[in-house]
């Protein structure tokens, strides 16, 4: 029986909302179940009727735990989906942290809208609740990398490590003798913590991400800026603030701080991880040594605590966080959010940006319009928490941290195929990035590649 694939999100120039519907006869499987994030018109798509009737879905397969790949799942369950959700154990453990947090944010947003009457709806309701998130988690079936499973009759599938974040997998589905490979998000080669993306030998239809499809990451060692920032904090006896995403980036920073300390390249300053979600995510990372790169795995079996710098403190509660106001530097605070759009980092920035002893190090992509971007671009003052804050602190940037393969790394992974896929669909990239990757694939590999369109349905 022939099978089809429909691009329901994360295609046609959109990076978020990843959803791909695989159909064979009356059987349907959803590959990824992501939330649209970012601009308002995109976020509104989360509120549209589900793009596929949830009751008709036999199963969901999740490539990884990032919300733009998993965050629509509670809504799908709320709207009637009652099948199994397949993902790796690492992804499941991260989902236990991330889905309730996403639900909590939805609930807070609705409560805010009701308090300030900013919604057209009366009362404003959350997209989903913590209960919906718990129900979604109850549907998960954990599958180890490489183990075959049958999401629905006639489809066989398995995960291959993609090296992107803990638990992240490429998904292969075999249906009617045809082989579909979905890259999910591709990680990088030779970075600490994560394994390299594993090569895949063959595909009839390949779906590949293109977040950085037209860019090449700077070759510099990301720790160089980190070392400079720590030394500046030490010299000025001030605080180093590192806004960081709770999952992935926070663990990388902790790992690098610990390693640089051990190598004597930075002094051992007190390090405060000021984010309950990052604390939980770090516990998950520490609990999955089998997922990490071989060097780290060995260290962990020897009893090392790779995510704990020597003078490590966890700020679990709001009181713990507030107590830092009475502590003087030098010291390091790692807190979310990574682009300073919210989270505990705002309180520290508000207090410490006017102080020239302070150093702020941004360690990831800063989207246009965010406070992170404004600071990175040299703003002399900035609005936050209802006040205008003068910026006297030193703002530093390390652009070399990224969890996504760049163009050359994507091409390197594609080079692992033993024969060209029949067709390659490019998803999960803004238009420039997707088209850039398509052109690179055509000229450098000579493959037939097209940019997938939103809503497009193709035959496998
Ligand atoms: Zn991702």
């Amino acid at each position: 029986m022939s099978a089809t694939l429909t691009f329901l999100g994360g295609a046609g120039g959109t990076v978020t909302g990843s959803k791909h519907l695989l159909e064979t006869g009356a059987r349907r499987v959803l590959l990824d179940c992501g939330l649209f994030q970012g601009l308002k018109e995109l976020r509104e798509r989360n509120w549209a009727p589900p793009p596929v009737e949830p009751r008709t879905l036999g199963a969901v397969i999740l490539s990884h735990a990032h919300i733009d790949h998993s965050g629509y799942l509670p809504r799908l369950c709320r709207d009637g989906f009652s099948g199994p959700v397949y993902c790796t154990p690492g992804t499941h453990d991260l989902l236990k942290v991330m889905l309730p947090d996403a639900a909590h944010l939805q609930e807070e947003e609705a409560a805010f809208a009701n308090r300030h009457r900013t919604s057209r709806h009366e009362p404003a309701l959350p997209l989903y609740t913590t209960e919906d998130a718990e129900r979604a988690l109850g549907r998960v079936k954990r599958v180890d990398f490489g183990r075959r499973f049958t999401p629905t009759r006639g489809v066989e599938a398995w995960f291959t490590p993609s090296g992107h974040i803990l638990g992240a997998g490429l998904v292969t589905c075999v249906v009617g003798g045809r082989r579909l490979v979905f890259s999910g998000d591709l990680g990088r080669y030779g970075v600490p913590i994560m394994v390299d993306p594993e090569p895949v030998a063959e595909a009839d239809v390949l779906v590949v991400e293109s977040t950085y499809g037209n860019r090449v990451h700077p070759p510099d060692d990301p720790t160089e800026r980190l070392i400079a920032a720590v030394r500046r904090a030490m010299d000025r006896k001030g605080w180093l603030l590192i806004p960081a995403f709770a999952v992935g980036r926070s663990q990388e920073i902790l790992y690098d701080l610990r390693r640089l300390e051990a190598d004597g390249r930075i002094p051992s300053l007190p390090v405060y991880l000021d984010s309950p979600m990052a604390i939980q995510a770090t516990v998950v990372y520490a609990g999955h040594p089998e997922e990490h790169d071989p060097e780290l795995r060995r260290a962990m079996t020897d009893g090392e605590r790779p995510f704990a710098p020597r003078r490590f403190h966890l700020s679990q509660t709001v009181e713990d966080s507030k107590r830092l106001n009475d502590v003087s530097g030098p010291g390091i605070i790692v807190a979310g959010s990574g682009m300073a759009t919210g989270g505990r980092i705002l309180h520290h920035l508000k207090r410490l940006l006017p102080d020239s002893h302070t150093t702020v190090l941004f360690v990831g992509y800063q989207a246009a319009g965010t406070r992170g971007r404004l600071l990175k671009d040299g703003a002399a003052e900035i609005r936050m928490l209802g006040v205008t804050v003068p910026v006297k602190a030193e703002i530093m940037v390390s652009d070399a941290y990224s969890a996504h393969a760049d163009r050359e790394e994507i091409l390197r992974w594609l080079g692992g195929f033993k024969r060209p896929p029949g067709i390659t669909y490019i998803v999960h990239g803004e238009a420039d990035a997707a088209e850039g990757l398509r052109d690179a694939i055509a000229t450098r590999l000579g493959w037939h590649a097209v940019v997938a369109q939103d809503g497009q349905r193709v035959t496998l």
Side-chain angles (χ1 to χ4, degrees), residues 147-447:
R147 216 189 84 203
R148 312 269 165 139
F149 61 96
T150 306
T152 188
R153 196 144 49 85
V155 180
E156 188 181 45
W158 63 91
F159 293 104
T160 305
S162 79
H164 169 59
I165 59 165
L166 187 94
L170 312 148
V171 185
T172 301
C173 292
V174 180
V175 47
R178 303 283 290 169
R179 188 176 286 232
L180 166 72
V181 173
F182 169 49
S183 75
D185 283 354
L186 275 181
R188 308 186 57 192
Y189 291 88
V191 292
I193 305 182
M194 299 308 302
V195 295
D196 289 351
E198 217 167 88
V200 171
E202 53 177 338
D204 295 300
V205 173
L206 171 64
V207 178
V208 66
E209 72 124 327
S210 60
T211 315
Y212 286 94
N214 62 341
R215 275 184 283 174
V216 178
H217 294 313
D220 12 331
D221 178 352
T223 58
E224 269 167 34
R225 301 303 286 165
L226 182 60
I227 293 169
V230 174
R231 289 192 182 149
R232 185 180 188 276
M234 179 73 182
D235 292 346
R236 303 290 175 102
K237 299 194 170 33
W239 282 103
L240 166 58
L241 303 181
I242 307 182
F245 297 109
V247 176
R249 191 57 36 83
S250 290
Q251 291 73 39
E252 269 179 283
I253 294 297
L254 292 172
Y255 176 81
D256 280 345
L257 287 172
R258 186 189 177 287
R259 200 168 45 127
L260 294 168
E261 269 179 0
D263 295 348
R265 299 177 72 194
I266 55 170
S268 288
L269 299 184
V271 177
Y272 296 86
L273 183 58
D274 188 13
S275 155
M277 189 163 156
I279 293 171
Q280 289 183 66
T282 306
V283 171
V284 175
Y285 266 70
H288 285 276
E290 77 286 357
E291 289 233 7
H292 303 314
D293 75 27
E295 191 188 329
L296 175 52
R297 212 179 308 154
R298 255 194 312 278
M300 286 171 88
T301 24
D302 290 348
E304 276 185 36
R305 296 171 62 217
F307 304 111
R310 277 191 201 118
R311 299 165 69 189
F312 191 35
H313 306 271
L314 303 178
S315 297
Q316 189 71 255
T317 65
V318 172
E319 278 60 44
D320 292 339
S321 182
K322 282 185 180 157
R323 219 167 289 140
L324 292 177
N325 297 345
D326 305 323
V327 182
S328 45
I332 302 170
I333 297 173
V334 180
S337 72
M339 299 193 234
T341 49
R344 291 185 183 174
I345 196 73
L346 290 187
H347 296 275
H348 299 303
L349 287 169
K350 180 184 167 200
R351 186 169 67 89
L352 295 167
L353 276 176
D355 180 353
S356 64
H357 297 90
T358 305
T359 311
V360 181
L361 177 68
F362 287 99
V363 286
Y365 180 69
Q366 304 299 318
T370 62
R371 290 191 193 89
R373 179 67 156 266
L374 292 169
L375 287 168
K376 184 179 160 178
D377 290 348
E381 54 180 39
I382 194 148
R383 287 288 296 176
M384 58 177 68
L385 305 170
V387 293
T388 301
V389 180
V391 181
K392 296 277 186 282
E394 175 91 1
I395 308 293
M396 298 174 71
V397 176
S398 179
D399 275 329
Y401 281 100
S402 173
H404 283 274
D406 65 11
R407 184 189 64 215
E408 296 309 308
E409 289 167 316
I410 297 171
L411 288 167
R412 177 171 166 185
W413 177 72
L414 295 173
F417 281 82
K418 297 278 180 265
R419 61 178 170 86
I423 184 161
T424 299
Y425 291 102
I426 295 161
V427 297
H428 203 280
E430 288 172 9
D432 289 356
E435 286 160 17
L437 182 64
R438 175 198 60 201
D439 296 346
I441 290 176
T443 42
R444 307 250 305 258
L445 300 172
W447 295 5

Side-chain angles (χ1 to χ4, degrees), residues 106-170:
Q106 300 284 352
E107 289 169 338
E108 274 189 344
E109 218 171 273
F112 180 90
N114 288 327
R115 258 196 324 273
H116 300 274
R117 303 191 179 276
T118 55
S119 169
R120 282 174 281 142
H121 306 282
E122 193 75 43
L125 297 171
L127 184 66
Y128 50 79
T129 63
T130 314
E131 272 175 13
D132 297 323
E134 294 300 336
R135 193 171 326 137
L137 288 168
R139 309 234 57 86
V140 168
K141 294 203 180 308
R142 294 159 73 104
V143 197
D144 289 328
F145 284 112
R147 216 189 84 203
R148 312 269 165 139
F149 61 96
T150 306
T152 188
R153 196 144 49 85
V155 180
E156 188 181 45
W158 63 91
F159 293 104
T160 305
S162 79
H164 169 59
I165 59 165
L166 187 94
L170 312 148

